[in-house]
Amino acid sequence: MRAFALRLFPVLVWFVPIAAIAEDLPNFVGKPVGDLRAFASSQNITLREEAFLSSAPPDYVVWHVPGEGGAVGFDRVMRAGVSLGAEAPNLLGAPLPDAVAQLEAMGLPYASVPVAEPGFAGEVVRQTPKPLEKFDASRLVVFLAVSEGGIAMPALAGRRLDHALAALRQAGLTGAVEHPPSSHWAANSYEVEKGCGSDIERTAIVSHSTPPQGSFSGFEQPVMLQYDIRTRRINPRGCIFRGPQIE
Amino acid sequence: MKLKLLWHSRAAILALSTALPLLAQPAESKPKLTAGQVSGLTKQLGASGTKLYLSWQEYDLPSSGLPLDERSAVVEDLLKRYEARRQAYSAVSNLNSYGTIATATVAAVGATVLTGGAALPVAAAGVLGATGFQLNGRFLDSSEGKVADAMVYEIGTELVLQTGMLDLAQFRGKPEELRQLVEGPLRESDAYLADVKARAQAIGDQRLVDTTIDVVITRLALMDEAQLRAAEANAASITDLSERFSLVAEHLHQRLVKTEVTLDRHEQNITELQTGMVALGGAIVAMDAQIQTLGRNQTLIADFAFSRMSPREKADALRNGLLDGRIRCPKDQSDCDVSEIKTAMITRYEADADLQDNIETAGNVLKGIHDARQIAANLGIELGKDAELALNVGTAALGAYVQFQSGNPLGAVASLTSLFGNRPDPDQQRFEAMMGFMRQQFGLVNAKLDTVLENQQAIMDGIVDLSEQIEASHNALDEKLNRIDWLQQKMDANIKQLLWRDWQGCNAVYRFALKPDEQSAPLVNLKTLRFHNFEALRDTIQSKGDDARACRATISRSRASLFDTASFGNFLGTTSAFSDDEAAAHLTPEEFRDLGDIRSAAQRFTQDVIAPQNRILFAWLARRQIDPATALFAFTMPLAGADDLAIVSRWLEDGQRYACPVLGQERPEDLGRYAISGLVCGPQVNTQGLASEYLSASYSTDVLTEITRWSLVSAQLLDLYSGATGNFELDLVKLADNSGNFPVGRSMVNAALDLATLGHAFQERIFGGLMGQIVFEDLSNGRATPDHALALTSNPYLAQNVAMLMLRAARANEPIIDGSAGPSFLDRYYQAYLMASDPEAPNMDGLRALFGAAMRFAQREDGLPTLILDIAGQNPALPLPGPQQLIEARFTVPQNRDTLLADRAVLVDWLAEYDLIDDPDLALLLINP
């Protein structure tokens, strides 16, 4: 009997504080994990954390086992799920309906705004938070900037007019025109006139565009290319013809 | 047997009946004032002034003729009229059916300049307290009163014989000598008060004996012949007289002990308040130091600090992470630590909240109107619902809140309502005088009261200092928004004197009162600006009487032309006040340079802000067919936010217009109209013309604040000034006889009040919500002009208020705080605001998503997000409101607006002192309760 008591004593001594914890285990769900860590440390409990993505704020407890009022086992171990926050999916380039569907499926709040920026109409061209960035979905929303459709005007100055027009139309800017209007130069911006002594080369070169380089142009928006005709002598050779000189 | 013989001694009765009334007669040298004279003085000097000056020497004052059971009602009526008057000057009375204008922000920043208000309600509450005490003296009911009288008679009769005082007339006018003569035998002889002494021994409190002796001696000195004869008859019929008297004495003693305990608790509370204030002061300093490290990133802190959340809510919000991730240190600021800033802010707001709790506790103990209400108002603390009810002067709720049964005579501001039905019986009335006397006599209670009052004064001083600290802190945050040069200019004293040289008389009186000479202490209370006593006032008159006369002339002249640049009103027009040569002659080269800066800043302010806004305003008035007086009236209302604005807008849309009150036909609902009646009403006054002038003029709040202070000091001198004779009357009795001839002080206070009203209307006109609404309406309806662009570019307060109205309008179809899942609108706006103010990659997507893609936003060079407008080829950038401000729909105004409003409230109080006490009996009740 005495031996049994002696064996039981350390068990009892060890058990008493556990029983006290088991009855008083508070609820840490929705609280900073720091609170749970401090509690665990003060109660000599081993805390095993599992971090995962969630719409809860980063570093907040999402669940713990045992739960509120539960008992810590003999191993004195608690497990807790800790939020890493949400992770913004990469929505760049996605059509808005697809992006919205994805966000809703993930339970993430969002708001969108059309922007006059290059891209296909309805395509997400910018997002905040950035792709794969962790964030607190309880306080932040995913703002989506959605293109109204259009391109950024490329550098056209110095290019041949017909090439520039072709490039713009190929990009979808069907309203691109030359200025002053000249179907001749728009169709073929290069010609050579044979002459005595040398040939004369004429090239229609874009001087600037409206909208200018770098700015946004919607697909329906008119684009105007201004051009100069540049001339120069080529192929010099001897010539006996004395006619009017071309400068 | 011996006693029995003595009771029936005719000699003793005769001696007592002839001598005792004589003891109570006043000294022959006392000047005597009638009720009418006291009433006249009250109208002349105000209730507080009259009371203060009459205490200068002893006057023989009659008692109020008001029956006891009517006193409370009369005083309550006074307090109601007082409250109505205060309301009138916040100009909300006329709008009552439209809602109540919130004036919380007025107190939110310490109203630091003057704390002299509320003297009238405090005096009146004191009367209520006394009345309540008297009425509550019912514990000495009829039979107990008879017992006490009989006992006093018995003891007195014996003492007369035992001490050989055959002729008590020799003690006429010397009650203290009578006390000395009889106190010894009463205290030392076993023959007297044996039962009381035994009880004192039993309970271990000898003060029971002191109390009883006081009762006997006091009553002895007050009983007249009829009372003596009644007491003689009673003494013969009461059995166990000694024992029954002991019970009465013990009852009374217990009351006093409870009073002491109550005062102890209050004193303890006051000590805690003081500790709390020190803690808060330290926390404010620490927080300010931390916030400084944020540099230009302080915007969100300012938004948070100015929000309407209570200190506790602020602390909780911070702890729950409201600003986490939202406060950002500048990259180059090595000593900036966001977590330390957060900790400092939590500490500061918790100290504030703790102090609020302590104030509430103090209020619960003493229920003192003076301390709790004043402290709360100065700190911008909202008292709890119960406390606020209780402190609502003159309401029946006070009675429920304050219980005489707690043994607290100070707190007996009375369960008045419940007492009205109980008429006091004659016995009680006979005891009233004694009770009143005793109240003043009990040394212990008095000593405690002194300590409490002394500490309360210290608290008041501390509150003022603390308020100044809070105001300085808020001003520092406000500077982040304030980009108006004129408002930032600090004038040197010499420049001020030059600018206001017409006001030198007022200034001289003020300076003398504050510092008569290098060695002397101020003659006025620096917080209230009231003269300490009549001697101080008299000395000032003797030294500065001529200056006071000059001051009076200045304010009379100026008041007639408040909009006249040359004479008074337009303090911004410094150029017209004096020539460069004059300035150069009076100023140092540095000051002269400063003056140049001030002048050019004022000129810019006039050209870029006042002139275009005036054009916008008058065009709006014409379009809406609103007359200038109505507009001026509307601008006198302090609008805290969009809710207040909605009330005023509705009032205007309903076709309401200002009309001068008709003399003799005042209706309570018209009280609000008095707010500007002194400015625009009067016989043969062109009301609309004057209002139009006032709406065009411009004023400096700082200047008006100073002039208010000067005026209050000079007004006290001029209370004694007769315009008819041109002399000051220093004899109060003569003054009382001619009180109708001396209305100068009152008119000066009235003029100062008009000035303050004008100043405030100016502030609302230039910076406030109604002007914001006017500009917003124009913008919304395609009526924007270059004036709008100029005003919005030059006036950031107006610009931010307009931006707030535009953002709220953009969200009009959706609730500003959406209840849908996910982050609240506050969180969304925080996020969008931070994205837009990102120093490296400002991103306006969030703002446009929240408020519409058609809106243009951009970051200002100092990092503040702005709303860009397109007006006549110009693009004013309107600073966006902070998140808390947008949610609360709170307008932004310069901080000194609140100081001016607080000063104005003080002036209203001063004026009420002159005006509201129209009944001689009421005057006597207040002066000689």
Side-chain angles (χ1 to χ4, degrees):
Chain A
M1 185 66 186
R2 184 167 177 272
F4 175 75
L6 282 173
R7 278 202 300 277
L8 186 61
F9 179 73
V11 174
L12 284 172
V13 167
W14 185 75
F15 183 76
V16 167
I18 296 172
I21 293 166
E23 286 174 9
D24 294 329
L25 200 60
N27 180 21
F28 287 97
V29 174
K31 293 185 176 167
V33 70
D35 293 358
L36 177 55
R37 287 174 187 154
F39 174 79
S41 170
S42 70
Q43 300 296 325
N44 200 24
I45 292 174
T46 303
L47 183 64
R48 294 197 179 138
E49 297 176 20
E50 294 172 27
F52 63 100
L53 294 172
S54 120
S55 58
D59 295 326
Y60 271 61
V61 178
V62 180
W63 55 260
H64 59 80
V65 177
E68 182 180 12
V72 179
F74 288 107
D75 58 355
R76 304 188 63 71
V77 168
M78 260 184 93
R79 290 177 177 77
V82 180
S83 175
L84 286 170
E87 185 179 84
N90 184 355
L91 302 170
L92 295 178
L96 181 62
D98 293 354
V100 165
Q102 192 174 348
L103 289 168
E104 285 181 346
M106 295 170 74
L108 297 177
Y110 64 91
S112 65
V113 61
V115 291
E117 290 180 26
F120 293 110
E123 173 189 87
V124 175
V125 291
R126 189 169 53 250
Q127 68 175 85
T128 309
K130 293 187 172 65
L132 308 183
E133 190 176 322
K134 304 281 191 305
F135 71 104
D136 176 0
S138 68
R139 289 175 61 174
L140 302 177
V141 301
V142 180
F143 282 118
L144 302 174
V146 180
S147 176
E148 291 174 334
I151 63 166
M153 288 295 292
L156 298 172
R159 291 183 71 180
R160 262 175 57 167
L161 174 64
D162 54 349
H163 293 173
L165 283 169
L168 289 176
R169 284 173 185 140
Q170 194 174 3
L173 301 178
T174 51
V177 293
E178 71 285 357
H179 185 79
S182 168
S183 56
H184 170 74
W185 288 111
N188 186 357
S189 302
Y190 180 80
E191 67 179 23
V192 176
E193 183 186 331
K194 295 289 183 188
C196 183
S198 63
D199 297 337
I200 299 168
E201 179 192 70
R202 293 188 182 88
T203 314
I205 302 293
V206 175
S207 57
H208 64 271
S209 63
T210 306
Q213 179 193 348
S215 65
F216 170 77
S217 177
F219 290 122
E220 307 303 322
Q221 192 178 346
V223 175
M224 211 177 285
L225 300 181
Q226 284 188 306
Y227 60 94
D228 301 322
I229 308 297
R230 294 185 189 167
T231 60
R232 64 169 181 157
R233 292 177 187 279
I234 58 173
N235 304 327
R237 56 183 178 267
C239 180
I240 57 169
F241 175 77
R242 294 181 184 276
Q245 297 294 308
I246 298 172
E247 294 301 329
Chain B
M1 176 59 79
K2 185 182 172 189
L3 278 176
K4 281 279 179 193
L5 285 172
L6 289 172
W7 291 346
H8 296 283
S9 158
R10 290 192 61 79
I13 292 173
L14 280 174
L16 280 168
S17 61
T18 53
L20 287 174
L22 292 176
L23 289 173
Q25 281 186 2
E28 288 169 359
S29 58
K30 277 186 186 177
K32 193 169 183 173
L33 286 171
T34 64
Q37 285 174 315
V38 173
S39 175
L41 278 181
T42 308
K43 286 177 187 163
Q44 178 71 27
L45 305 171
S48 305
T50 304
K51 194 163 187 171
L52 184 69
Y53 301 155
L54 287 179
S55 66
W56 169 52
Q57 66 182 78
E58 286 201 25
Y59 286 89
D60 183 11
L61 302 176
S63 296
S64 172
L66 282 171
L68 259 180
D69 55 343
E70 290 177 16
R71 291 182 177 186
S72 298
V74 171
V75 174
E76 283 220 339
D77 177 63
L78 167 68
L79 290 171
K80 277 179 190 157
R81 285 186 287 134
Y82 165 78
E83 282 297 305
R85 172 72 73 103
R86 281 180 66 96
Q87 285 289 316
Y89 278 91
S90 62
V92 294
S93 299
N94 275 351
L95 308 186
N96 271 349
S97 60
Y98 294 81
T100 305
I101 303 284
T103 51
T105 52
V106 174
V109 177
T112 60
V113 178
L114 287 172
T115 54
L120 181 63
V122 170
V127 173
L128 285 183
T131 310
F133 191 95
Q134 288 157 1
L135 294 177
N136 273 287
R138 292 185 62 77
F139 73 87
L140 288 169
D141 64 18
S142 174
S143 61
E144 286 174 320
K146 286 173 185 166
V147 168
D149 263 9
M151 190 70 204
V152 168
Y153 164 77
E154 181 182 295
I155 293 172
T157 310
E158 188 177 355
L159 281 168
V160 166
L161 295 180
Q162 291 287 309
T163 55
M165 295 185 291
L166 284 178
D167 183 6
L168 285 183
Q170 62 185 292
F171 295 101
R172 181 167 44 191
K174 303 169 186 168
E176 278 310 307
E177 289 187 20
L178 174 65
R179 173 176 289 275
Q180 282 176 10
L181 190 69
V182 301
E183 191 170 7
L186 278 180
R187 193 177 295 281
E188 288 152 20
S189 168
D190 291 340
Y192 304 111
L193 306 173
D195 197 60
V196 169
K197 288 170 182 169
R199 284 171 191 268
Q201 189 76 31
I203 63 173
D205 188 350
Q206 286 304 310
R207 289 180 303 167
L208 173 59
V209 178
D210 300 333
T211 303
T212 313
I213 291 172
D214 271 330
V215 169
V216 172
I217 294 172
T218 307
R219 189 66 192 136
L220 256 178
L222 290 170
M223 287 173 91
D224 60 19
E225 186 178 353
Q227 289 164 344
L228 275 169
R229 291 194 187 285
E232 181 190 11
N234 287 335
S237 65
I238 297 172
T239 54
D240 304 324
L241 179 61
S242 180
E243 192 177 338
R244 291 183 62 180
F245 177 63
S246 299
L247 287 172
V248 173
E250 196 168 355
H251 192 163
L252 179 59
H253 177 68
Q254 283 167 359
R255 287 296 170 111
L256 290 165
V257 170
K258 282 179 82 174
T259 299
E260 285 174 37
V261 171
T262 306
L263 289 171
D264 279 341
R265 284 173 58 205
H266 185 58
E267 192 177 341
Q268 186 187 339
N269 271 289
I270 284 181
T271 309
E272 282 170 16
L273 278 181
Q274 284 169 326
T275 311
M277 283 196 299
V278 171
L280 178 55
I284 288 172
V285 171
M287 184 182 94
D288 287 353
Q290 286 291 338
I291 288 177
Q292 287 300 319
T293 64
L294 281 172
R296 62 193 261 179
N297 293 350
Q298 291 180 24
T299 320
L300 287 178
I301 303 280
D303 174 58
F304 179 77
F306 292 133
S307 85
R308 287 183 190 154
M309 283 187 279
S310 71
R312 186 72 71 197
E313 286 169 332
K314 282 179 181 165
D316 289 344
L318 286 166
R319 203 178 288 103
N320 292 332
L322 178 72
L323 291 180
D324 287 0
R326 292 167 177 170
I327 313 175
R328 290 172 184 169
C329 285
K331 283 186 174 170
D332 55 352
Q333 193 75 31
S334 59
D335 61 343
C336 176
D337 183 330
V338 168
S339 66
E340 284 181 17
I341 293 171
K342 178 179 170 181
T343 306
M345 290 179 74
I346 291 174
T347 307
R348 180 246 188 274
Y349 288 113
E350 276 187 338
D352 209 340
D354 289 345
L355 186 58
Q356 175 176 352
D357 290 345
N358 281 337
I359 288 171
E360 274 200 56
T361 312
N364 284 339
V365 174
L366 188 61
K367 286 81 177 179
I369 289 170
H370 184 66
D371 55 357
R373 194 178 199 134
Q374 189 84 43
I375 290 166
N378 279 332
L379 284 181
I381 287 170
E382 281 185 27
L383 294 174
K385 196 177 169 190
D386 287 346
E388 190 53 49
L389 268 179
L391 298 178
N392 258 333
V393 184
T395 63
L398 255 180
Y401 204 80
V402 179
Q403 300 147 12
F404 177 80
Q405 282 66 21
S406 69
N408 176 6
L410 272 190
V413 183
S415 309
L416 294 164
T417 318
S418 62
L419 291 166
F420 289 151
N422 302 327
R423 294 188 67 79
D425 58 39
D427 285 296
Q428 184 201 319
Q429 294 207 6
R430 280 196 288 112
F431 267 86
E432 280 158 14
M434 184 181 81
M435 295 295 291
F437 184 78
M438 280 166 50
R439 231 175 36 239
Q440 294 169 18
Q441 291 304 309
F442 288 113
L444 270 174
V445 172
N446 267 350
K448 284 185 189 304
L449 272 178
D450 285 347
T451 312
V452 166
L453 291 173
E454 209 171 278
N455 287 340
Q456 284 186 174
Q457 185 58 49
I459 285 263
M460 290 305 298
D461 293 347
I463 286 290
V464 172
D465 293 342
L466 189 55
S467 302
E468 282 167 358
Q469 239 176 341
I470 292 172
E471 188 177 35
S473 171
H474 280 199
N475 277 335
L477 289 173
D478 189 45
E479 276 176 18
K480 297 297 159 193
L481 180 68
N482 183 6
R483 304 178 123 207
I484 300 178
D485 289 346
W486 165 251
L487 297 181
Q488 291 174 326
Q489 292 286 351
K490 300 291 177 206
M491 282 192 215
D492 182 90
N494 279 346
I495 298 178
K496 284 182 184 174
Q497 282 185 25
L498 185 62
L499 184 58
W500 310 324
R501 59 191 173 162
D502 286 346
W503 291 77
Q504 289 299 348
C506 307
N507 182 247
V509 175
Y510 176 73
R511 278 187 300 163
F512 181 85
L514 256 60
K515 198 173 185 183
D517 54 54
E518 287 304 320
Q519 286 79 37
S520 303
L523 298 174
V524 291
N525 180 317
L526 295 179
K527 309 297 182 196
T528 65
L529 294 183
R530 283 193 186 278
F531 280 94
H532 290 307
N533 48 47
F534 192 73
E535 288 98 316
L537 177 65
R538 191 185 53 190
D539 291 349
T540 309
I541 287 174
Q542 280 163 356
S543 297
K544 296 289 169 189
D546 289 341
D547 287 312
R549 285 190 189 93
C551 176
R552 179 205 168 225
T554 302
I555 201 161
S556 302
R557 187 173 61 245
S558 302
R559 195 165 170 241
S561 53
L562 287 171
F563 48 84
D564 181 357
T565 302
S567 73
F568 168 70
N570 194 337
F571 285 108
L572 301 182
T574 52
T575 46
S576 57
F578 45 81
S579 69
D580 278 354
D581 290 344
E582 283 176 289
H586 286 87
L587 302 176
T588 65
E590 291 77 24
E591 288 168 349
F592 189 73
R593 256 199 316 279
D594 289 347
L595 177 64
D597 293 343
I598 291 169
R599 280 176 161 172
S600 46
Q603 199 174 2
R604 277 198 304 277
F605 187 58
T606 305
Q607 284 175 357
D608 299 347
V609 176
I610 294 175
Q613 287 190 206
N614 281 355
R615 287 192 287 269
I616 293 168
L617 170 66
F618 280 96
W620 181 79
L621 293 179
R623 202 162 43 245
R624 298 282 296 266
Q625 296 185 313
I626 295 173
D627 58 87
T630 299
L632 182 67
F633 182 59
F635 281 125
T636 61
M637 300 179 205
L639 305 186
D643 294 342
D644 291 346
L645 174 64
I647 294 169
V648 176
S649 298
R650 218 159 51 240
W651 185 79
L652 289 170
E653 280 162 15
D654 284 357
Q656 302 283 333
R657 294 296 178 259
Y658 180 79
C660 288
V662 180
L663 210 60
Q665 295 180 19
E666 293 89 350
R667 296 179 305 165
E669 61 268 33
D670 287 343
L671 264 177
R673 297 178 188 273
Y674 287 91
I676 61 166
S677 63
L679 291 165
V680 298
C681 298
Q684 298 177 330
V685 166
N686 177 357
T687 298
Q688 298 302 342
L690 272 177
S692 183
E693 297 280 8
Y694 292 138
L695 283 178
S696 311
S698 42
Y699 305 90
S700 157
T701 303
D702 294 337
V703 175
L704 289 172
T705 302
E706 297 219 21
I707 286 184
T708 298
R709 299 175 66 94
W710 302 349
S711 303
L712 284 183
V713 175
S714 288
Q716 292 171 79
L717 273 66
L718 293 167
D719 277 340
L720 309 180
Y721 179 78
S722 164
T725 65
N727 292 322
F728 292 92
E729 179 56 79
L730 297 177
D731 183 327
L732 290 183
V733 178
K734 287 183 185 168
L735 184 69
D737 288 336
N738 296 289
S739 56
N741 299 329
F742 300 78
V744 183
R746 185 203 175 280
S747 71
M748 188 134 180
V749 173
N750 204 13
L753 177 58
D754 285 344
L755 282 181
T757 300
L758 261 189
H760 172 247
F762 170 72
Q763 290 241 322
E764 288 288 336
R765 199 180 92 217
I766 300 300
F767 305 111
L770 181 56
M771 191 67 209
Q773 172 72 18
I774 291 169
V775 172
F776 169 65
E777 271 182 37
D778 285 351
L779 296 178
S780 306
N781 293 303
R783 283 193 291 264
T785 65
D787 277 340
H788 292 79
L790 184 57
L792 289 169
T793 304
S794 313
N795 184 346
Y797 293 98
L798 176 75
Q800 190 166 65
N801 291 336
V802 170
M804 187 187 74
L805 292 171
M806 292 185 80
L807 295 188
R808 289 184 69 86
R811 298 278 304 182
N813 295 328
E814 302 172 57
I816 197 80
I817 303 173
D818 44 31
S820 57
S824 66
F825 179 76
L826 176 67
D827 283 328
R828 290 168 194 242
Y829 184 55
Y830 256 119
Q831 184 185 0
Y833 190 93
L834 282 170
M835 285 164 61
S837 49
D838 188 310
E840 282 155 14
N843 179 343
M844 307 301 153
D845 293 346
L847 291 173
R848 295 178 67 238
L850 293 180
F851 299 107
M855 284 192 157
R856 273 177 69 201
F857 298 94
Q859 193 185 82
R860 207 165 70 178
E861 72 275 11
D862 62 356
L864 210 61
T866 58
L867 171 65
I868 306 294
L869 302 183
D870 186 358
I871 302 174
Q874 296 178 62
N875 298 108
L878 282 51
L880 296 189
Q884 295 290 345
Q885 187 187 358
L886 182 65
I887 293 295
E888 294 170 1
R890 178 167 37 84
F891 292 126
T892 311
V893 288
Q895 291 295 307
N896 57 8
R897 193 274 302 252
D898 293 337
T899 309
L900 185 64
L901 276 178
D903 280 0
R904 187 162 162 259
V906 171
L907 290 164
V908 171
D909 279 337
W910 278 58
L911 205 58
E913 291 232 359
Y914 291 108
D915 293 349
L916 294 185
I917 304 163
D918 41 11
D919 175 4
D921 281 325
L922 175 60
L924 274 173
L925 197 58
L926 292 176
I927 306 303
N928 187 28

